[in-house]
Amino acid sequence: MKTITLAQGNGGEENRQLISELFFRHLKNDILQKAEDAAVVEDGTLAMTTDSFTVSPIFFAGGDIGKLSVCGTCNDLAMMAARPCYLTLSVVLEEGFETRKLEKIVRSIKKELLENGAKVVAGDTKVVPKGSVDQIFITTTGLGEVTVPGISASNVQKGDVIVVSRDIGRHGAAIFAAREGIELESAITSDCASLWPMVEKVIETGVVPHAMRDATRGGVAAVLNEWAEASGVCIEVDEGEIPVSETVAGICELLGFEPTALANEGTFLLAVRPEEAEKVVEILRSFPGNEAAVQIGEVTDSYLQKVILRSAWGTKRFMDLPTGELLPRIC
């Protein structure tokens, strides 16, 4: 008898197969099949998305499950150039959960809502018997106003350049370090942050990205592969240009992971026209924490629907979708 595995929630190949072969097979429609970060509805004027958060531990360096639940949903809206407006909040609590912890989480939610200019307009609270869930699970649904139409994973075009907003892999590395109690010479914090302020600034300058996506589960590798497949293009990336901190690189060596497969919660990729790349990088670097923003590659037609990783020695290899269990309960 087949059963669900942890690998099927990793944001990589197994997760993609589960979604396409089960959920899309039964629930498909023109909007769902686009598989964007957020669904664009109402003649392109509104964007809608939903996400559940089960991260463990619930408090980590750089954030907590409350901040993460707002960032995750608002960032999905921002990736469609949608201004976050309204959220719903559903909380499942384990019997015995400390009230002071819950208030700390709610304060984090309030702070991040202000960062996005959004508000919670409906919600639900359930308390289940001890052992039914691990402390607290949160589900948020967001509705946003689309400010620029046409941004899509299927709109990446030959000649575009790929920009990453900051160094990668911090959320995955921070969660792993917190979970395993690893003492690091230099402390690492999650990149957990709201992306709408950066996206809004980019759009205000007149830049219209062809695609944007936050590199959450499955990391940068998943985003680039999804774009290459959806747009029918080849994306070639210079390995040496991908910004990775020494601490994240060290944890990846310990885990046996590629930094490009580690989760992020405040890092995103943009596909833009080459003449807009310098302006975009300059804007991103003006935000604290994003000083490492950089162009990492470009879009070609050499191997359609594939991602090519170019080394400093001139060799090339395919960058595939991440597979395997990776780190469960990362968000």
Side-chain angles (χ1 to χ4, degrees):
M1 181 174 61
K2 291 183 177 180
T3 58
I4 296 298
T5 67
L6 285 173
Q8 290 176 298
N10 66 2
E13 178 62 24
E14 295 89 344
N15 193 208
R16 187 190 68 81
Q17 287 181 3
L18 177 66
I19 292 170
S20 63
E21 295 174 5
L22 183 59
F23 291 102
F24 280 11
R25 179 161 60 90
H26 291 286
L27 306 176
K28 65 181 179 182
N29 57 63
D30 292 343
I31 298 173
L32 184 64
Q33 281 184 294
K34 291 179 180 176
E36 304 284 3
D37 268 350
V40 176
V41 297
E42 294 296 304
D43 296 325
T45 58
L46 298 176
M48 185 177 184
T49 188
T50 190
D51 212 338
S52 294
F53 299 88
T54 64
V55 65
S56 176
I58 59 175
F59 297 98
F60 51 86
D64 58 48
I65 193 171
K67 178 180 181 180
L68 186 62
S69 67
V70 176
C71 289
T73 290
C74 289
N75 289 350
D76 282 348
L77 295 173
M79 294 302 97
M80 304 306 292
R83 183 192 314 279
C85 299
Y86 303 109
L87 269 69
T88 65
L89 177 70
S90 176
V91 181
V92 178
L93 292 160
E94 181 185 26
E95 175 190 23
F97 190 72
E98 294 180 21
T99 305
R100 65 176 182 85
K101 289 184 179 178
L102 181 58
E103 180 163 7
K104 185 176 180 179
I105 290 167
V106 174
R107 287 181 183 274
S108 290
I109 290 172
K110 177 182 178 181
K111 182 179 179 182
E112 213 57 34
L113 286 169
L114 291 172
E115 185 75 14
N116 285 277
K119 60 180 71 172
V120 169
V121 293
D124 182 50
T125 305
K126 295 286 193 307
V127 179
V128 296
K130 193 169 184 62
S132 298
V133 298
D134 184 4
Q135 300 189 72
I136 178 173
F137 291 170
I138 297 177
T139 297
T140 46
T141 297
L143 192 66
E145 175 190 7
V146 176
T147 61
V148 176
I151 295 175
S152 171
S154 60
N155 195 32
V156 180
Q157 300 173 17
K158 180 184 175 183
D160 282 353
V161 298
I162 306 298
V163 172
V164 64
S165 66
R166 60 167 300 161
D167 60 308
I168 67 170
R170 281 185 166 267
H171 184 69
I175 293 297
F176 176 79
R179 195 178 294 173
E180 302 300 326
I182 296 175
E183 294 184 4
L184 302 170
E185 291 184 3
S186 59
I188 186 166
T189 59
S190 166
D191 62 330
C192 184
S194 291
L195 299 175
W196 172 246
M198 282 175 268
V199 172
E200 184 178 39
K201 189 69 174 179
V202 168
I203 291 171
E204 283 177 352
T205 63
V207 173
V208 179
H210 288 148
M212 294 189 289
R213 182 156 289 190
D214 51 342
T216 52
R217 287 177 303 162
V220 169
V223 172
L224 294 178
N225 274 282
E226 288 165 6
W227 281 359
E229 182 176 348
S231 296
V233 297
C234 175
I235 298 177
E236 300 193 38
V237 176
D238 293 312
E239 189 172 23
E241 295 297 325
I242 300 173
V244 182
S245 71
E246 290 185 4
T247 308
V248 170
I251 287 181
C252 283
E253 287 185 12
L254 187 66
L255 291 169
F257 286 164
E258 293 290 340
T260 51
L262 275 189
N264 311 268
E265 288 295 342
T267 303
F268 69 114
L269 295 162
L270 306 93
V272 298
R273 298 178 182 87
E275 62 270 23
E276 295 174 332
E278 184 176 345
K279 183 189 294 185
V280 169
V281 168
E282 181 181 351
I283 292 168
L284 295 173
R285 287 180 177 176
S286 69
F287 286 82
N290 290 63
E291 294 80 5
V294 69
Q295 177 182 327
I296 60 172
E298 61 271 339
V299 181
T300 71
D301 57 2
S302 58
Y303 295 90
L304 298 183
Q305 296 189 312
K306 295 290 184 181
V307 181
I308 304 294
L309 200 57
R310 301 185 298 218
S311 75
W313 297 275
T315 59
K316 296 181 178 181
R317 68 181 191 275
F318 291 121
M319 178 194 288
D320 295 319
L321 265 175
T323 59
E325 191 173 305
L326 299 179
L327 295 174
R329 297 189 61 187
I330 199 74
C331 59

